[in-house]
Amino acid sequence: MASINENYLKLPGSYLFAEIARRVTAYKNENPSANIIRLGIGDVTQPLVSAVINGLHTAIDEMAQPTTFRGYGPEQGYDFLIQTIIDHDFTPRGVTLDIDEVFVSDGSKSDVGNIQEIFGLDNIVAITDPVYPVYLDSNVMAGRTGALDNGRFEKIVYMPCNAENQFIPELPTEKVDMIYLCVPNNPTGTTLSKAELTKWVQFAKANEAIILFDAAYESYIQEPDIPHSIYEIDGAKEVAIEFRSFSKTAGFTGTRCAYTVVPKTVMGRTASGEAHSLNKMWNRRQTTKFNGVPYIIQRGAQAVYTPEGQKQIKETIQYYMANAKIIREGLQSIGLEVFGGVNAPYIWLKTPNNMDSWDFFDKLLTEVHIVGTPGTGFGPSGAGYFRLTAFGSRENTEQAIERIKTKLSL
């Protein structure tokens, strides 16, 4: 009989969003007439903008002609998209990147999960708490975390983020090697200033640690003093890998396109102390295990950066941020303590009366037929918190908040 990777057995019983889906399905089966509004999982609802659709159609037509047909493409992504990314997302912010430092992929979730493969199993991992589950779970699967004990894995360094510390993680006091940061943050919707990010870069340099920086929501930043890339911080290209996505920026959750930046100056070490380029290792991993994003999709992503595309996706982002304002102000009007929703499409709230997060989930579902995400699903420090997203339609968002204001018993 084949043996299994027993690290999978260390994972909690169900992936967070699978458990949410199970509970909602069970309730819907028992209450088929319930009009359920979903403000839980962070999927977008607005369609792809016309500039992207036109880019996709043009690429489809190219695939129908012998002279412009494309077969296997480069695993790292086509140069036309990579150069466009560099020219629009980094050069205007004073960040210089080479074309072989950007890797196009099918999603930040994939890259965030897969990046740990190029790191040794003896590395100590630090995560903010609460945290996007993939950061932790992928390291559990790899065998880097030890056993689960009272809700925490024994080898993980947890960095609590809560209202008491304004959701700003403190620098670890112990040795860490891999540091996961998500800015703007999922799930809390909060951000870090340039001064705070500078502290992390300096810490990573001083301790020879690597920052795994998830910037999937950078396009939602509204305030001028919040960095959009960690590479805006001096020295970050020596210690940071950055993940970006078209999913929430341009509605690519169903078409799948993202990219990861691995500067050639980011180094890891062997057990004997010999330095090696993580860029080369990631390139080797991708060329072995990934066949690249389809040409059609990459042309659609390139269209995001046209003048029409930029105008259109900014309108969509502002649509979602208007939803965030409706949610934030509506919850505040009934006395709930609310965070986020200013530079990110997530609203993070304290559950009323210190209610358990899953109990509040059930209360919202059964009393007002609204689905959110329990904070405990994001880690121990998420206890007593709850996440709502701004990715619904305007009609559903307004209706959901009206239900909460008028029908939810607090």
Side-chain angles (χ1 to χ4, degrees), residues 54-71:
N54 291 337
L56 294 171
H57 279 303
T58 299
I60 289 171
D61 291 339
E62 290 180 26
M63 297 295 279
Q65 303 298 325
T67 54
T68 51
F69 171 78
R70 306 288 182 108

Side-chain angles (χ1 to χ4, degrees), residues 245-284:
S245 173
F246 293 96
S247 287
K248 311 302 168 56
T249 300
F252 275 57
T253 55
T255 41
R256 312 307 305 149
C257 195
Y259 65 90
T260 293
V261 181
V262 188
K264 285 175 283 190
T265 45
V266 179
M267 310 296 284
R269 296 189 181 277
T270 63
S272 62
E274 183 180 355
H276 286 269
S277 166
L278 296 184
N279 176 282
K280 290 183 178 179
M281 294 181 68
W282 182 243
N283 184 64
R284 186 67 172 88

Side-chain angles (χ1 to χ4, degrees), residues 39 50 55 57-58 60 79 151 157 175 204 234 266 268 273 280 310 365:
L39 299 180
S50 60
H57 279 303
T58 299
I60 289 171
D79 285 357
V157 174
K175 181 186 185 311
D234 289 343
V266 179
K280 290 183 178 179
Q310 287 290 286
L365 178 61

Side-chain angles (χ1 to χ4, degrees), residues 344-357:
Y346 296 116
I347 294 84
W348 188 245
L349 62 121
K350 273 194 172 182
T351 56
N353 305 314
N354 296 316
M355 185 179 295
D356 174 82
S357 297

Side-chain angles (χ1 to χ4, degrees), residues 86-390:
I86 293 171
D87 292 344
H88 287 80
D89 287 347
F90 294 98
T91 301
R93 300 189 181 281
V95 178
T96 301
L97 293 173
D98 293 336
I99 203 164
D100 57 354
E101 293 180 308
V102 178
F103 298 80
V104 178
S105 75
D106 61 355
S108 285
K109 180 179 181 180
S110 302
D111 285 357
V112 165
N114 292 331
I115 196 73
Q116 53 82 23
E117 292 184 18
I118 67 173
F119 292 95
L121 294 182
D122 57 345
N123 283 330
I124 303 299
V125 175
I127 59 171
T128 54
D129 176 31
V131 73
Y132 181 47
V134 175
Y135 307 158
L136 177 61
D137 290 358
S138 59
N139 280 288
V140 174
M141 294 171 178
R144 200 174 279 115
T145 62
L148 183 64
D149 181 22
N150 196 28
R152 297 175 182 267
F153 285 92
E154 59 183 352
K155 293 183 180 180
I156 292 292
V157 174
Y158 291 83
M159 301 180 292
C161 296
N162 48 45
E164 286 67 37
N165 62 11
Q166 299 180 308
F167 301 96
I168 298 174
E170 295 183 5
L171 298 174
T173 56
E174 60 266 72
K175 181 186 185 311
V176 297
D177 304 295
M178 299 162 60
I179 303 166
Y180 287 84
L181 296 178
C182 180
V183 183
N185 187 262
N186 175 18
T188 67
T190 56
T191 58
L192 295 177
S193 66
K194 186 172 185 178
E196 289 295 335
L197 277 182
T198 298
K199 292 179 184 177
W200 282 101
V201 170
Q202 292 174 344
F203 175 88
K205 291 182 70 174
N207 292 275
E208 295 188 324
I210 301 297
I211 297 173
L212 303 169
F213 189 79
D214 188 348
Y217 301 96
E218 64 80 26
S219 61
Y220 288 84
I221 293 172
Q222 307 293 304
E223 296 176 325
D225 60 337
I226 306 298
H228 287 248
S229 168
I230 196 168
Y231 302 124
E232 295 178 52
I233 310 299
D234 289 343
K237 285 176 65 176
E238 299 173 29
V239 295
I241 294 172
E242 182 167 303
F243 307 89
R244 294 235 193 159
S245 173
F246 293 96
S247 287
K248 311 302 168 56
T249 300
F252 275 57
T253 55
T255 41
R256 312 307 305 149
C257 195
Y259 65 90
T260 293
V261 181
V262 188
K264 285 175 283 190
T265 45
V266 179
M267 310 296 284
R269 296 189 181 277
T270 63
S272 62
E274 183 180 355
H276 286 269
S277 166
L278 296 184
N279 176 282
K280 290 183 178 179
M281 294 181 68
W282 182 243
N283 184 64
R284 186 67 172 88
R285 190 268 172 203
Q286 291 297 82
T287 54
T288 299
K289 292 190 173 185
F290 184 58
N291 246 5
V293 175
Y295 171 75
I296 294 168
I297 301 300
Q298 292 194 54
R299 281 298 187 192
Q302 184 188 32
V304 167
Y305 296 100
T306 63
E308 298 83 2
Q310 287 290 286
K311 177 177 181 295
Q312 292 163 5
I313 67 165
K314 287 177 181 177
E315 290 173 353
T316 301
I317 288 169
Q318 289 309 311
Y319 177 92
Y320 290 135
M321 291 309 296
N323 285 348
K325 183 178 180 181
I326 291 169
I327 297 170
R328 187 179 70 253
E329 294 182 351
L331 297 178
Q332 289 172 335
S333 73
I334 59 173
L336 293 178
E337 193 170 358
V338 180
F339 312 92
V342 176
N343 295 298
Y346 296 116
I347 294 84
W348 188 245
L349 62 121
K350 273 194 172 182
T351 56
N353 305 314
N354 296 316
M355 185 179 295
D356 174 82
S357 297
W358 277 107
D359 287 345
F360 188 66
F361 172 91
D362 291 334
K363 184 180 181 67
L364 272 184
L365 178 61
T366 57
E367 290 189 11
V368 292
H369 301 159
I370 294 170
V371 177
T373 310
T376 49
F378 298 100
S381 293
Y385 291 92
F386 200 82
R387 192 191 76 173
L388 295 174
T389 82

